[in-house]
Amino acid sequence: MNGLATTTISLHQVRLDDGFWSNYADLVRNTVIPYQWGALNDDIPDAERSYAIHNFKVAAGEQDGEFGGMVFQDSDLAKWLEAVSYSLATHRDPQLERIADETISLIVRAQQPDGYLNTYYTIKEPSKRWTNIYECHELYCAGHMIEAAVAYYQATGKRQLLDAMCRFVDYIDEVFGQNPNQIKGYPGHQEIELALVKLYQVTGEPRYLRLSQYFIDERGKAPSFFLEEWESRGRQSHWHAGTTVKPDLTYNQSHQPVREQDTAVGHAVRAVYMYTAMADLARLTGDEELYRACLRLWENITTKQMYITGGIGSTHHGEAFSYAYDLPNDTIYAETCASIGLIFFAQRMLQIEAKSEYADVIERALYNLVVGSMSLDGTCYFYVNPLEVVPEASAKSPEKFHVKAERQKWFGCSCCPPNVARLIASLGQYIYAVNENTVFTNLFIGSHLSVKVGGDDVELHQESNLPWSGEVRLQVALQAPKRFTLALRVPAWCNREALLKVNGVPVSVEERVDNGYVKIYRTWCDEDVVEWILPMIPELVQANPKVRANAGKVAIVRGPLVYCLEQVDNGENLGAVSLAPDVKLEEKFNANLFGGIVEVYADAYRDDELSWGNALYRPLTQNSQAVPVRAIPYYLWGNRGLGEMLVWIRCR
Amino acid sequence: MNGLATTTISLHQVRLDDGFWSNYADLVRNTVIPYQWGALNDDIPDAERSYAIHNFKVAAGEQDGEFGGMVFQDSDLAKWLEAVSYSLATHRDPQLERIADETISLIVRAQQPDGYLNTYYTIKEPSKRWTNIYECHELYCAGHMIEAAVAYYQATGKRQLLDAMCRFVDYIDEVFGQNPNQIKGYPGHQEIELALVKLYQVTGEPRYLRLSQYFIDERGKAPSFFLEEWESRGRQSHWHAGTTVKPDLTYNQSHQPVREQDTAVGHAVRAVYMYTAMADLARLTGDEELYRACLRLWENITTKQMYITGGIGSTHHGEAFSYAYDLPNDTIYAETCASIGLIFFAQRMLQIEAKSEYADVIERALYNLVVGSMSLDGTCYFYVNPLEVVPEASAKSPEKFHVKAERQKWFGCSCCPPNVARLIASLGQYIYAVNENTVFTNLFIGSHLSVKVGGDDVELHQESNLPWSGEVRLQVALQAPKRFTLALRVPAWCNREALLKVNGVPVSVEERVDNGYVKIYRTWCDEDVVEWILPMIPELVQANPKVRANAGKVAIVRGPLVYCLEQVDNGENLGAVSLAPDVKLEEKFNANLFGGIVEVYADAYRDDELSWGNALYRPLTQNSQAVPVRAIPYYLWGNRGLGEMLVWIRCR
């Protein structure tokens, strides 16, 4: 590590003011958070029951009933509360805060005298705590509740949940560890590791950091804790009746010590949550070996296992990474939560070293997969985010049953919707980063920043037209002139053809680029203006030829947005459409679609189907017709009814 | 039906003498049958245990031990015995016949006093007969044993097994039926329906035909027998612990009355075995409605759900048909047994009406999938027959674990190897068909036929160079001149450009073609010679544009053979290879490969991988290199070590 680590920006320091994202933040605040509150309270008609609030009431002894939902159901409430916290940090809302306070009180009432908190075990199997850490998510739920507690404390200054979670962690710290009377274990689903880092950062308590380190360092050592645990519970499983086969340790990345890992394997969400904590620990403890593991895993994901939309985890089976260049578009998994975890990991790597590739991945995942996972009205979600959808296939092909052709209201396992909510509500944390003498602009999102740079107050007002055009304007506000570096990310998609002006005067970019950022070191004065013009033209992108699924195919990309074809615009059987490699792509602003978007038009070809009759195979004849096609941004697909969708288009 | 039904040819009437198939028949006789005998006796090192013989010995009370293997393990022995019968019909072998006789004695000793025969229930759950017909294959195993009994009787004239099976069927006929004291059920896995037709044909006992009709007609009526059975066994399953979800009736085609079905659904082997019996019954009883169902189902399979290799059943899940045009090459199932069943169905349809499309499908499946499922030495088999294989994907992608990249020695569920053996051993039955005044040549396989046509002896000697070249020569042997029609199939692959000569004199083909056969009606004399010259050139074939998996792709085909690329010839990452639509395909006989085959060479393109470095996506650049590629017949793939294989190649 180069000692240039940046510090996190708190939500109090940034105010979002963006043509694109403010709408989403408003949607989260005004629609998603209330809708999800309804879901957590089982008030949404026709949606699967959540039981989340119900469970806490039963655990608190205030309601009769059985535990309902998944063993990790508590985490839905925690993620919702975290989203509420971020929302309150940027927008005061006494009524919402009152609901949150009451909910926190309920949570605390469900906490056991020794600090333990988990409604599943409290209600259902109180004597079985910590007996199936491999499968039963106690530490995972704890982690999410810690994150909620930290966020709520940061937003409101209120300590009730924070103190409760400190008591819980103090108890966990007694239960787990190297001493003979402790469980020498670690989470079955990683999450608490990154949460403990946050708890350490707000409390300053080094035991919390050490507990995170312990979980990370113990993981994957031989003999395997999980195999021993499996034996000691008689090879039983929470999920299946009868005895089960030996756990596959790659599934939760416990197959080898984490600092020796160099390939992203297993359940993708578990993986990226863990890598996030690894990067946190590497930064906070200066652990170079751990950092090198992070670098290897980052490279493995982003150069071999990432979809063009920022999706990761290509197989449904185990919701997992599969292997290098295996990126099927139609049997895909690409869980929403996994890309959110990838954004966390990228943010931590960016904190260690401001390198544009990390922010490129954040931008890719945000503008494509994450917003695309949510319907425009914020009430329906994709869990799986395909790049090719044929509704008939989703309905009839068992390989594709998991690939829903329509966003769903709420899931029995509903990790994704509240995860989207908390990410968008905290988006302000991702736009900037600051160190001793530099303000980094990672994302081009309209916003107001107030930070200290080298002890002085610096304000920055950013205006941005992304993702529709690449004009970015930054205005500095200072009480007195100040010498510091303003670093602007050069997005990979602009091919370094960006134009820079400072106070209207063009400034050469090339020589100032360092680690993917153009760095302007000068004495800044109040009202100085930087214009950062990023050319944005639609273009065809291809995948590495080792990606079998995309051989001979191209995707239409414009700026940060990946485009797609939809049946509603282009008819059915999109597999019959092809593009010439030299096709002219025309962009057109359409004010009447989705509140105004840039569409891309092209003259394409369509294989003739009419001449086939009943034939299934015949000697090759070249008969395709010229057809115009219309592409829309991928994130908007599926908002105009059920139909086919396609990102990777055949290239002739 | 048009009353032109042909009769079956018995194996005593045909002697195979073919450059291609005689080798396979010899292999089955000399290697496969002895090898499988070893497997059935658990004598093959490193192979999964079969337990088949063991089970019969235990059931006969002659050996201690538990039942081993699958619930339908008896059928492996039955299929082996059927293959042995066909082999004995064409090649006397006293030693093999002695083994078969002893085995039959053992089988009969395992039969229960009331005629019941099934080692699983006899050994394990004697009180549970007929309680789980949905899952437990009692009638399926009975069907295979009936087929063996009929074949052995036809081959040797020995009645021991035939009589035993008649006793078994008499008992089944008492157990199943419409009367109040009978089970109003039908097989969970269809098979016995077609076997009962065979039993009827050799015994003349109409009850056997009626029992087959009963099973066919009762199937799929409401209320569902299988749902009632599932309820009455407490929703328990043979295969899973705990209660199970409601059976999916499409799985075994009992979702609606069979004569109302028009789409091939569910488990492919069950489906085609049933369709075979339906066609048999339609022909023997003149049931037009049933015949129309057969026609619809045939059309559905062959125009919407069949691979170019003759494979059917595209999904692993339920080993089943999925939906129209869903023919993935890499997650494919295409079980060997399903294509064998398709050949049965085609043969029965051909018996009803001599139409070349039925024989085209038989030829397609035989020369590609069926022989391809077996290793050249006859000891290893594919159960799943992919059209695209990447060994890394088979090893690492859960979607492709079932797609083995190498033929396997023997399967725990080993239906396919003995099925291949019995088909090849009985190949003589498929070459010709005869009716009142016509001898049909369906397949071009060197052979000697002796039949009665209109009461007179007719002999036909066929010489054929297929699949390597299309010269076919037929010589008639007659005691006296005779007026009859010789009908020769016009294969779809020769595009009607076939040349016909009778005694050296060209005869025009076009005007004589009827239902895909060229028909030569004349007074034939002894030693008359017909030359039938089928042009065979390599060509590119495309799939209907609705087949998403093959969009923009072509297959190389020459005569009846589908070709493929293998890694051993063309390097790895075959997805990077593409062909120009006007590519020149050059054929070359290679005497040194696999005993002499026709290879196809082409100038292709290969996407450049070197320039990519670590990049996963980048703007489109056209950089592919010209590379020569070598294609070999698909059926030979995987005989030169582990590597990639590809049938459908990208077309530029």
Side-chain angles (χ1 to χ4, degrees):
Chain A
M1 283 167 283
N2 57 15
L4 296 175
T6 56
T7 55
T8 326
I9 303 294
S10 97
L11 289 179
H12 295 299
Q13 296 173 293
V14 189
R15 185 161 56 80
L16 213 63
D17 184 8
D18 187 69
F20 187 83
W21 288 105
S22 292
N23 288 337
Y24 281 99
D26 292 350
L27 189 66
V28 166
R29 203 168 51 252
N30 300 325
T31 304
V32 179
I33 286 175
Y35 180 88
Q36 293 186 349
W37 178 244
L40 293 165
N41 283 277
D42 302 321
D43 287 338
I44 308 292
D46 307 327
E48 286 188 57
R49 275 197 75 177
S50 160
Y51 296 97
I53 291 290
H54 162 90
N55 290 336
F56 277 95
K57 286 183 179 163
V58 175
E62 297 166 11
Q63 189 168 292
D64 287 335
E66 288 302 309
F67 177 87
M70 298 281 186
V71 69
F72 45 80
Q73 210 70 9
D74 291 358
S75 63
D76 281 0
L77 183 60
K79 276 187 277 189
W80 176 82
L81 204 48
E82 191 185 338
V84 167
S85 306
Y86 299 139
S87 177
L88 293 175
T90 56
H91 292 76
R92 289 222 50 203
D93 181 338
Q95 202 195 332
L96 181 62
E97 192 167 328
R98 190 180 51 72
I99 293 174
D101 285 340
E102 288 169 9
T103 305
I104 286 168
S105 282
L106 171 63
I107 292 167
V108 172
R109 293 197 302 278
Q111 189 173 26
Q112 301 302 294
D114 58 2
Y116 183 80
L117 177 68
N118 184 288
T119 70
Y120 173 82
Y121 279 100
T122 298
I123 298 170
K124 256 190 126 156
E125 305 192 89
S127 67
K128 290 278 186 79
R129 282 186 198 176
W130 317 123
T131 57
N132 189 348
I133 300 164
Y134 178 68
E135 292 178 318
C136 288
H137 292 73
E138 284 158 292
L139 293 171
Y140 170 83
C141 290
H144 274 302
M145 204 56 87
I146 293 165
E147 284 201 88
V150 169
Y152 200 70
Y153 168 71
Q154 288 179 321
T156 64
K158 294 179 182 172
R159 301 191 56 104
Q160 187 185 14
L161 191 59
L162 188 72
D163 291 341
M165 287 307 103
C166 286
R167 285 199 295 130
F168 190 10
V169 173
D170 292 343
Y171 164 69
I172 292 171
D173 194 32
E174 281 170 27
V175 172
F176 288 87
Q178 303 275 11
N179 293 333
N181 59 338
Q182 290 178 304
I183 299 172
K184 215 170 146 190
Y186 37 86
H189 190 313
Q190 303 94 308
E191 152 60 26
I192 196 171
E193 299 89 337
L194 74 88
L196 287 169
V197 172
K198 289 185 175 183
L199 191 64
Y200 158 73
Q201 287 175 313
V202 296
T203 62
E205 174 54 62
R207 275 190 300 114
Y208 301 156
L209 190 72
R210 284 202 299 271
L211 184 58
S212 177
Q213 274 184 292
Y214 164 76
F215 284 143
I216 289 292
D217 284 335
E218 189 62 28
R219 190 173 205 87
K221 284 190 182 164
S224 164
F225 167 73
F226 289 129
L227 295 185
E228 290 180 346
E229 192 199 54
W230 171 69
E231 291 288 2
S232 69
R233 68 170 180 271
R235 303 187 171 191
Q236 300 297 301
S237 163
H238 174 80
W239 301 103
H240 309 285
T243 56
T244 53
V245 297
K246 193 157 88 168
D248 171 9
L249 299 178
T250 58
Y251 173 67
N252 69 12
Q253 300 81 35
S254 67
H255 56 298
Q256 65 181 149
V258 300
R259 59 183 70 233
E260 293 172 18
Q261 297 184 18
D262 51 20
T263 307
V265 296
H267 186 260
V269 175
R270 284 171 165 80
V272 284
Y273 281 7
M274 179 175 85
Y275 306 155
T276 300
M278 286 163 65
D280 272 337
L281 291 171
R283 177 171 49 88
L284 293 170
T285 67
D287 187 332
E288 288 283 351
E289 189 187 39
L290 199 56
Y291 180 49
R292 282 195 301 275
C294 292
L295 288 170
R296 290 193 305 269
L297 291 162
W298 173 266
E299 188 190 2
N300 177 262
I301 292 175
T302 58
T303 68
K304 302 202 169 50
Q305 302 202 75
M306 183 180 71
Y307 288 93
I308 195 170
T309 53
I312 55 171
S314 60
T315 176
H316 171 46
H317 297 266
E319 310 180 308
F321 291 103
S322 57
Y323 62 95
Y325 304 110
D326 180 42
L327 295 165
N329 297 304
D330 55 351
T331 60
I332 190 171
Y333 205 66
E335 182 180 340
T336 306
C337 289
S339 289
I340 291 172
L342 179 62
I343 289 172
F344 297 158
F345 182 30
Q347 186 204 31
R348 303 315 197 274
M349 293 302 279
L350 197 54
Q351 281 177 9
I352 297 175
E353 185 180 12
K355 237 174 131 172
S356 64
E357 66 170 289
Y358 301 122
D360 282 340
V361 167
I362 293 176
E363 190 182 66
R364 186 188 286 279
L366 271 179
Y367 281 94
N368 298 291
L369 195 141
V370 174
V371 282
S373 73
M374 190 164 65
S375 63
L376 276 179
D377 66 1
T379 64
C380 293
Y381 298 85
F382 284 126
Y383 199 103
V384 168
N385 295 276
L387 277 75
E388 175 172 345
V389 164
V390 177
E392 188 177 20
S394 295
K396 295 183 181 170
S397 167
E399 283 79 9
K400 294 165 194 162
F401 285 165
H402 65 285
V403 180
K404 304 297 179 203
E406 288 182 298
R407 293 174 184 83
Q408 310 287 302
K409 271 194 171 166
W410 190 258
F411 302 91
C413 165
S414 189
C415 48
C416 300
N419 228 347
V420 173
R422 69 177 180 140
L423 178 71
I424 291 178
S426 63
L427 192 62
Q429 292 181 341
Y430 297 85
I431 305 172
Y432 305 98
V434 176
N435 69 13
E436 226 3 60
N437 60 358
T438 306
V439 178
F440 293 90
T441 303
N442 299 320
L443 299 176
F444 303 108
I445 295 178
S447 51
H448 302 273
L449 173 73
S450 308
V451 281
K452 293 265 187 207
V453 177
D456 299 312
D457 286 327
V458 172
E459 285 188 39
L460 209 59
H461 305 292
Q462 182 180 175
E463 291 170 26
S464 162
N465 271 322
L466 262 69
W468 308 120
S469 75
E471 290 91 44
V472 176
R473 184 179 183 277
L474 294 128
Q475 183 167 335
V476 178
L478 289 166
Q479 263 136 19
K482 176 166 172 67
R483 209 164 174 76
F484 69 94
T485 301
L486 185 61
L488 306 174
R489 176 172 138 258
V490 187
W493 47 261
C494 80
N495 302 320
R496 292 198 160 202
E497 286 170 11
L499 294 179
L500 179 67
K501 289 183 193 171
V502 177
N503 295 327
V505 180
V507 174
S508 98
V509 172
E510 193 67 34
E511 67 207 38
R512 288 185 171 79
V513 174
D514 174 30
N515 257 355
Y517 284 79
V518 59
K519 290 183 175 167
I520 318 157
Y521 177 59
R522 53 175 267 151
T523 301
W524 294 95
C525 299
D526 193 38
E527 298 194 349
D528 274 357
V529 169
V530 173
E531 289 163 275
W532 186 219
I533 298 131
L534 306 167
M536 205 182 270
I537 47 161
E539 62 181 345
L540 298 182
V541 164
Q542 62 185 157
N544 188 306
K546 288 178 179 154
V547 180
R548 175 70 67 120
N550 296 341
K553 295 180 181 171
V554 290
I556 298 172
V557 168
R558 183 176 177 277
L561 295 180
V562 174
Y563 277 66
C564 70
L565 304 182
E566 280 203 291
Q567 181 178 338
V568 64
D569 299 314
N570 304 294
E572 70 178 339
N573 194 12
L574 296 176
V577 172
S578 59
L579 295 171
D582 58 353
V583 63
K584 192 166 162 246
L585 300 174
E586 268 190 283
E587 59 183 59
K588 202 172 112 184
F589 185 76
N590 182 344
N592 299 318
L593 194 59
F594 302 125
I597 64 163
V598 175
E599 302 169 336
V600 175
Y601 287 82
D603 289 327
Y605 299 88
R606 196 177 242 288
D607 298 339
D608 168 58
E609 291 176 30
L610 292 176
S611 66
W612 277 80
N614 235 347
L616 190 51
Y617 304 105
R618 72 179 190 196
L620 177 66
T621 53
Q622 291 281 86
N623 52 350
S624 54
Q625 292 122 27
V627 288
V629 292
R630 163 157 102 160
I632 65 159
Y634 168 80
Y635 80 91
L636 290 165
W637 83 273
N639 279 292
R640 292 175 292 166
L642 190 66
E644 289 186 33
M645 183 277 292
L646 185 69
V647 169
W648 289 98
I649 305 161
R650 282 164 46 211
C651 187
R652 296 163 74 87
Chain B
M1 282 168 284
N2 57 13
L4 296 174
T6 56
T7 55
T8 326
I9 303 295
S10 95
L11 288 178
H12 294 299
Q13 296 173 292
V14 189
R15 185 162 55 80
L16 212 62
D17 183 10
D18 186 69
F20 186 84
W21 288 104
S22 291
N23 288 335
Y24 281 99
D26 291 350
L27 189 66
V28 165
R29 204 168 51 252
N30 301 325
T31 303
V32 178
I33 286 175
Y35 179 88
Q36 294 185 349
W37 178 244
L40 294 165
N41 284 278
D42 303 321
D43 286 339
I44 307 292
D46 307 326
E48 287 187 58
R49 274 197 76 178
S50 158
Y51 295 98
I53 291 290
H54 162 91
N55 291 336
F56 278 94
K57 286 184 179 163
V58 174
E62 296 167 11
Q63 188 169 292
D64 289 335
E66 289 303 309
F67 177 87
M70 300 282 186
V71 69
F72 46 79
Q73 211 71 10
D74 290 0
S75 64
D76 281 1
L77 183 60
K79 277 188 277 189
W80 175 82
L81 204 50
E82 191 186 340
V84 167
S85 305
Y86 299 138
S87 177
L88 293 175
T90 55
H91 292 78
R92 290 221 46 203
D93 180 339
Q95 201 194 333
L96 180 61
E97 191 167 328
R98 190 180 50 74
I99 293 173
D101 285 339
E102 288 169 9
T103 304
I104 286 168
S105 282
L106 170 63
I107 293 168
V108 173
R109 292 197 303 277
Q111 189 172 27
Q112 301 302 294
D114 57 3
Y116 183 80
L117 177 67
N118 182 289
T119 69
Y120 173 82
Y121 280 99
T122 300
I123 296 171
K124 256 190 127 157
E125 306 191 89
S127 67
K128 291 277 187 76
R129 281 184 198 178
W130 316 122
T131 57
N132 189 348
I133 299 164
Y134 178 68
E135 294 178 317
C136 287
H137 292 74
E138 283 158 293
L139 293 172
Y140 169 84
C141 290
H144 274 302
M145 203 57 86
I146 293 164
E147 284 202 271
V150 169
Y152 200 69
Y153 167 72
Q154 288 178 321
T156 65
K158 294 178 181 173
R159 301 191 56 104
Q160 187 184 15
L161 190 58
L162 187 72
D163 291 341
M165 288 306 102
C166 287
R167 283 200 295 132
F168 190 9
V169 173
D170 293 343
Y171 164 69
I172 291 171
D173 195 31
E174 283 170 25
V175 171
F176 288 87
Q178 304 273 13
N179 293 332
N181 60 338
Q182 289 179 305
I183 300 173
K184 214 171 148 188
Y186 37 86
H189 190 315
Q190 303 93 311
E191 150 62 26
I192 196 171
E193 298 89 338
L194 75 89
L196 287 168
V197 171
K198 290 185 175 184
L199 190 63
Y200 158 73
Q201 288 175 311
V202 296
T203 63
E205 173 53 61
R207 276 191 299 113
Y208 301 155
L209 189 71
R210 284 203 299 271
L211 183 59
S212 178
Q213 274 184 293
Y214 164 75
F215 284 142
I216 288 292
D217 284 336
E218 189 62 28
R219 190 173 207 88
K221 284 192 184 162
S224 164
F225 166 73
F226 289 129
L227 294 184
E228 291 181 346
E229 191 200 56
W230 170 69
E231 290 290 2
S232 69
R233 67 170 181 271
R235 304 186 170 193
Q236 301 296 301
S237 164
H238 175 80
W239 301 104
H240 310 284
T243 57
T244 52
V245 296
K246 193 157 89 166
D248 171 10
L249 299 177
T250 59
Y251 173 67
N252 69 14
Q253 300 82 35
S254 66
H255 57 297
Q256 65 182 147
V258 302
R259 59 183 68 231
E260 294 172 17
Q261 298 186 18
D262 51 20
T263 307
V265 297
H267 187 258
V269 175
R270 283 170 166 81
V272 285
Y273 281 7
M274 179 175 86
Y275 306 155
T276 300
M278 286 163 65
D280 272 338
L281 291 171
R283 177 172 49 89
L284 293 171
T285 67
D287 186 333
E288 289 283 350
E289 189 186 40
L290 199 57
Y291 180 49
R292 283 196 301 275
C294 292
L295 287 170
R296 291 194 304 271
L297 292 161
W298 173 265
E299 187 189 3
N300 177 262
I301 293 175
T302 58
T303 69
K304 301 202 170 50
Q305 303 202 73
M306 184 180 70
Y307 287 94
I308 195 170
T309 53
I312 55 170
S314 61
T315 176
H316 170 46
H317 297 266
E319 311 180 310
F321 291 104
S322 57
Y323 61 96
Y325 303 110
D326 181 42
L327 295 165
N329 297 304
D330 54 350
T331 60
I332 189 171
Y333 204 65
E335 182 181 341
T336 306
C337 288
S339 289
I340 291 171
L342 178 64
I343 289 171
F344 297 159
F345 182 29
Q347 187 204 30
R348 304 313 199 274
M349 294 301 279
L350 198 53
Q351 281 177 10
I352 297 175
E353 184 180 14
K355 238 174 132 174
S356 64
E357 64 171 290
Y358 302 121
D360 281 339
V361 168
I362 293 175
E363 189 182 66
R364 187 188 285 280
L366 271 180
Y367 281 94
N368 296 290
L369 195 140
V370 174
V371 281
S373 73
M374 190 165 64
S375 63
L376 277 179
D377 66 1
T379 63
C380 294
Y381 297 85
F382 284 124
Y383 198 104
V384 168
N385 295 276
L387 276 74
E388 175 172 346
V389 165
V390 176
E392 188 178 20
S394 295
K396 295 183 182 171
S397 167
E399 283 79 8
K400 295 165 192 161
F401 284 165
H402 65 284
V403 180
K404 303 297 180 203
E406 289 182 297
R407 293 175 184 84
Q408 311 286 302
K409 270 194 171 167
W410 190 258
F411 302 91
C413 165
S414 191
C415 48
C416 299
N419 228 347
V420 173
R422 69 177 179 143
L423 178 71
I424 291 178
S426 63
L427 192 62
Q429 292 181 341
Y430 297 85
I431 304 173
Y432 305 98
V434 177
N435 69 14
E436 229 359 63
N437 61 356
T438 307
V439 178
F440 293 91
T441 303
N442 300 319
L443 299 176
F444 304 107
I445 295 178
S447 51
H448 303 273
L449 172 74
S450 309
V451 282
K452 293 265 186 206
V453 177
D456 298 311
D457 287 324
V458 172
E459 286 188 37
L460 209 58
H461 305 292
Q462 182 181 176
E463 292 170 27
S464 162
N465 272 322
L466 262 69
W468 307 122
S469 74
E471 291 91 44
V472 177
R473 183 179 184 279
L474 294 125
Q475 182 166 338
V476 179
L478 290 166
Q479 261 136 20
K482 176 167 174 64
R483 210 162 172 78
F484 69 94
T485 302
L486 186 61
L488 306 174
R489 175 173 140 258
V490 187
W493 48 260
C494 80
N495 302 321
R496 293 196 159 202
E497 286 169 10
L499 294 178
L500 179 67
K501 290 182 192 171
V502 177
N503 295 327
V505 179
V507 174
S508 98
V509 172
E510 196 66 35
E511 67 207 37
R512 290 185 170 80
V513 173
D514 175 30
N515 258 352
Y517 285 79
V518 59
K519 290 183 175 167
I520 318 156
Y521 178 60
R522 53 175 268 151
T523 302
W524 295 96
C525 300
D526 193 40
E527 298 195 350
D528 275 356
V529 170
V530 173
E531 288 163 276
W532 186 220
I533 298 133
L534 306 168
M536 204 182 272
I537 48 162
E539 62 182 344
L540 298 183
V541 165
Q542 61 184 158
N544 189 305
K546 289 179 178 153
V547 180
R548 174 72 65 120
N550 296 341
K553 295 180 181 173
V554 290
I556 299 171
V557 168
R558 182 176 178 279
L561 294 181
V562 174
Y563 278 66
C564 70
L565 304 182
E566 279 203 291
Q567 181 177 337
V568 63
D569 299 316
N570 303 295
E572 69 178 338
N573 194 12
L574 296 175
V577 172
S578 60
L579 295 171
D582 57 354
V583 63
K584 192 164 165 252
L585 299 174
E586 268 191 280
E587 60 183 59
K588 203 171 112 185
F589 184 76
N590 182 343
N592 299 316
L593 193 60
F594 303 124
I597 64 163
V598 175
E599 301 169 334
V600 175
Y601 288 81
D603 289 326
Y605 299 88
R606 195 178 241 288
D607 298 339
D608 167 58
E609 291 175 32
L610 292 176
S611 66
W612 277 81
N614 235 348
L616 190 51
Y617 304 105
R618 73 178 189 198
L620 177 66
T621 54
Q622 291 279 86
N623 51 352
S624 54
Q625 291 122 28
V627 289
V629 291
R630 164 157 100 160
I632 65 159
Y634 168 80
Y635 80 89
L636 289 164
W637 84 272
N639 279 293
R640 292 175 293 167
L642 190 65
E644 290 184 34
M645 183 278 290
L646 185 70
V647 169
W648 289 98
I649 305 162
R650 282 164 45 211
C651 186
R652 297 162 73 87

